Amino acid sequence: MKHRITFEELEGNSTGFFALVGILAALVAMGLFAAYTMEHHGHVITGMDNQIVWGLPHIFAIFLILSASGVLNVASIGSVFRKAFYHPLARLSGLLAITLLVGGLVVLVLDLGRPDRLVVAMTSYNFKSIFTWNVFLYNGFIGVVGVYLWVMMDRSLQRFYRPMGLIAFIGRFILTTGTGSIFGFLVARSAYDTAILAPLFIAMSLVLGMAVFLLVLIASCVWGNRAMGIAFLERPKSLLSLFLIAVFYLVTVYYLTNLYVTKQQDLVYFILGSGGIYTYLFWIGYFVLGTVIPLIILYHPIAGKTRNGITAAASLVVIGGFSLLYTIIIGGQAIPLEIFPGMEIISSGFFDGRAYHPYTPTVWEFMLGIGGISFAMLLTVIGMRILPFLFVPSSISAIQLSPEEID
């Protein structure tokens, strides 16, 4: 005999709701002030220059974009793969996919230096450029997920639930492939010129999306004073650990491949051995804090079965993902341009005579990035307040059922 798990809507009336909105709004204002200051004084007040053109704000933006793609995986498991356990979480997954992507795009637009020039990108298209394709991918993704949410919340449209889920599932992979291809198609940067960056970004989106989703889910239940059994986190936690292993495998392949190519060996030695901040971020930020410790926590028989343990693991995964993005994107730009292959250049205006280019992010870049994350969270909190985006189990004992017992 099968049993049905019942869920109740998590209402947005927690005592700290208005305080949370006020804090997020203040952080958003801080980000806007940073953007205004950078626009007024120019990017000379940042650590970016003609060599490091994608700085800390782009790390925040790529982080949010990858998380937006990966967080939709929760809804996809429910609709495409027909896992009923994930159906109550699908709405929150779709909401986060939109808000995180919007937050990332806001950071990108405000970091352009001339946000008004965005009109040119939206009206003049060069289809040989991956940036042009991403204009359509980002807007299309928001539109598809918006329709997907509509189908979820309108009972009369339930027959379209799985088809829309399949479209969103495919669109999510295309979006992340396009983001990874931005770097994979840049042949001028030796650290970027590889096809493996596209699948690596897809895997990173899965792990970052699941980590962000777990943090938002747990925080929502805590702030909403809603009890949630640890068994409800068991399956997302298991997926998070598997995605972590997948990312580590692809990162290993990425560096082993570059190590095999003679001309790329200096790049590997720089990032993994003598790169200063990049080396520390890779080994301490990504490998130890972002991979090894979370896996130990998630597979630990005691820590892995507590809400605090899962929260700590997901938080460390976010730190590790951010560190890896910083290493790949900014570390890849620190490598000197190879304008004349096989020739030794003493110095030039393109910095190709330097061994490695220094970069130190400023507080303005950090403020803008935090503002983008806060904007995404502010939209999420307001969305959950207005519409029923999150449901939690009404009975903690009910979620102890096996997958075969769930309708």
Side-chain angles (χ1 to χ4, degrees):
M1 178 179 179
K2 292 186 177 181
H3 304 275
R4 181 179 297 276
I5 293 180
T6 57
F7 293 83
E8 293 180 358
E9 177 186 345
L10 181 65
E11 298 179 356
N13 56 2
S14 61
T15 55
F17 172 78
F18 293 104
L20 178 61
V21 169
I23 293 173
L24 292 174
L27 292 175
V28 171
M30 178 188 71
L32 291 174
F33 175 71
Y36 167 77
T37 304
M38 292 164 61
E39 170 71 14
H40 182 71
H41 295 282
H43 274 55
V44 68
I45 65 172
T46 72
M48 294 178 279
D49 52 31
N50 289 336
Q51 176 74 2
I52 308 293
V53 296
W54 292 331
L56 187 62
H58 278 72
I59 307 302
F60 279 98
I62 300 296
F63 170 83
L64 287 168
I65 292 171
L66 293 183
S67 299
S69 171
V71 78
L72 194 62
N73 187 59
V74 175
S76 298
I77 295 175
S79 58
V80 178
F81 300 100
R82 297 184 177 182
K83 299 296 182 180
F85 183 84
Y86 292 90
H87 287 170
L89 305 177
R91 295 183 183 182
L92 177 61
S93 173
L95 173 65
L96 281 171
I98 294 177
T99 57
L100 290 172
L101 180 56
V102 170
L105 294 180
V106 165
V107 176
L108 282 180
V109 170
L110 294 179
D111 187 51
L112 286 176
R114 286 286 303 276
D116 55 295
R117 300 293 291 174
L118 183 65
V119 177
V120 177
M122 299 176 63
T123 55
S124 301
Y125 303 113
N126 174 20
F127 289 101
K128 292 183 179 180
S129 170
I130 190 64
F131 292 98
T132 294
W133 287 104
N134 276 305
V135 171
F136 294 95
L137 291 178
Y138 294 146
N139 294 326
F141 182 80
I142 294 175
V144 167
V145 177
V147 176
Y148 190 22
L149 282 173
W150 180 21
V151 170
M152 289 183 200
M153 304 179 77
D154 191 339
R155 293 183 180 275
S156 64
L157 300 176
Q158 288 302 299
R159 63 184 182 278
F160 300 111
Y161 177 53
R162 191 162 186 267
M164 279 306 306
L166 182 60
I167 294 173
F169 178 75
I170 296 173
R172 178 170 63 83
F173 276 95
I174 295 175
L175 171 71
T176 317
T177 301
T179 304
S181 297
I182 291 176
F183 305 96
F185 289 175
L186 284 176
V187 296
R189 303 283 187 178
S190 57
Y192 295 162
D193 184 19
T194 173
I196 201 173
L197 284 181
L200 175 58
F201 273 49
I202 291 175
M204 288 178 65
S205 74
L206 295 175
V207 70
L208 290 175
M210 185 59 70
V212 171
F213 182 84
L214 282 171
L215 291 175
V216 173
L217 176 63
I218 293 172
S220 299
C221 291
V222 170
W223 289 330
N225 298 318
R226 181 64 178 167
M228 180 177 59
I230 189 63
F232 194 62
L233 302 174
E234 187 67 29
R235 299 179 200 187
K237 179 202 76 172
S238 299
L239 284 178
L240 178 62
S241 62
L242 292 176
F243 295 153
L244 266 178
I245 295 172
V247 170
F248 177 71
Y249 171 76
L250 290 174
V251 169
T252 303
V253 172
Y254 170 69
Y255 284 110
L256 285 179
T257 303
N258 282 321
L259 189 63
Y260 179 79
V261 180
T262 303
K263 69 174 185 177
Q264 297 288 76
Q265 290 178 357
D266 288 342
L267 162 67
V268 179
Y269 295 148
F270 171 68
I271 296 295
L272 302 185
S274 62
I277 184 62
Y278 307 111
T279 302
Y280 293 132
L281 283 176
F282 180 85
W283 289 113
I284 299 177
Y286 164 68
F287 183 69
V288 177
L289 295 179
T291 302
V292 175
I293 295 180
L295 286 175
I296 292 175
I297 294 175
L298 293 174
Y299 284 110
H300 194 274
I302 298 177
K305 296 185 180 300
T306 64
R307 189 171 64 184
N308 290 337
I310 295 175
T311 302
S315 301
L316 289 173
V317 167
V318 169
I319 294 174
F322 196 90
S323 300
L324 182 60
L325 286 174
Y326 193 101
T327 300
I328 293 176
I329 297 175
I330 298 182
Q333 296 174 82
I335 306 298
L337 290 170
E338 191 176 3
I339 299 178
F340 301 102
M343 304 296 290
E344 182 178 351
I345 308 298
I346 298 177
S347 65
S348 79
F350 296 97
F351 308 103
D352 48 329
R354 295 186 179 182
Y356 298 103
H357 194 78
Y359 167 73
T360 303
T362 64
V363 65
W364 305 111
E365 299 172 70
F366 181 78
M367 289 167 59
L368 177 58
I370 293 298
I373 293 179
S374 301
F375 184 63
M377 291 299 100
L378 180 62
L379 293 178
T380 303
V381 171
I382 293 176
M384 293 172 64
R385 173 80 174 192
I386 297 174
L387 294 174
F389 279 107
L390 177 61
F391 292 78
V392 292
S394 59
S395 172
I396 296 179
S397 61
I399 59 175
Q400 306 294 336
L401 301 176
S402 64
E404 292 77 13
E405 296 176 304
I406 299 175
D407 282 343

